[in-house]
Amino acid sequence: MPELVSDFQGAFIHEKQILDGVLIANECVDSRLKAKKAGILCKIDMNKAFDNVNCSTEKLKPSKELRQGDSLSPYLFLLVVEILSKLINDAVSRGQLTGFQVVEHGTMISHLQFADDTLIFIDASVEEVR
């Protein structure tokens, strides 16, 4: 799983701590407040998404959808939300999103994920909000 899931995801991955994302998010927001630079922190909660993931393809047609409580469901769900992470990374690489930096020339944090929660860090500009 660590090879398949990006570093932006903090759940169900060995050696990740539950508070890592909270600490990183706090530092990102705190740096914006200290710099008096406007920004938007968008939280997406995909709480009901476990019940709505359908993995059918022509070659592979599962008889059931992904369900909470299944032993593999957290890992399968991480693979599904990894697509959102890749889309955000793509928007960053195209210059459509910039994210937050704690220090100048430091690592840019565009988003963080923990299981079914995603935080997206964007500049307070019309272009990025679109």
Side-chain angles (χ1 to χ4, degrees), residues 84-102:
L84 175 60
S85 181
K86 299 289 185 198
L87 290 170
I88 294 169
N89 287 337
D90 188 51
V92 169
S93 69
R94 288 193 316 267
Q96 294 173 315
L97 295 176
T98 55
F100 288 13
Q101 284 180 313
V102 175

Side-chain angles (χ1 to χ4, degrees), residues 23-40:
L23 294 172
I24 294 168
N26 183 61
E27 289 297 318
C28 287
V29 170
D30 192 47
S31 68
R32 282 286 173 129
L33 292 172
K34 285 180 182 174
K36 296 182 179 173
K37 185 174 180 181
I40 298 172

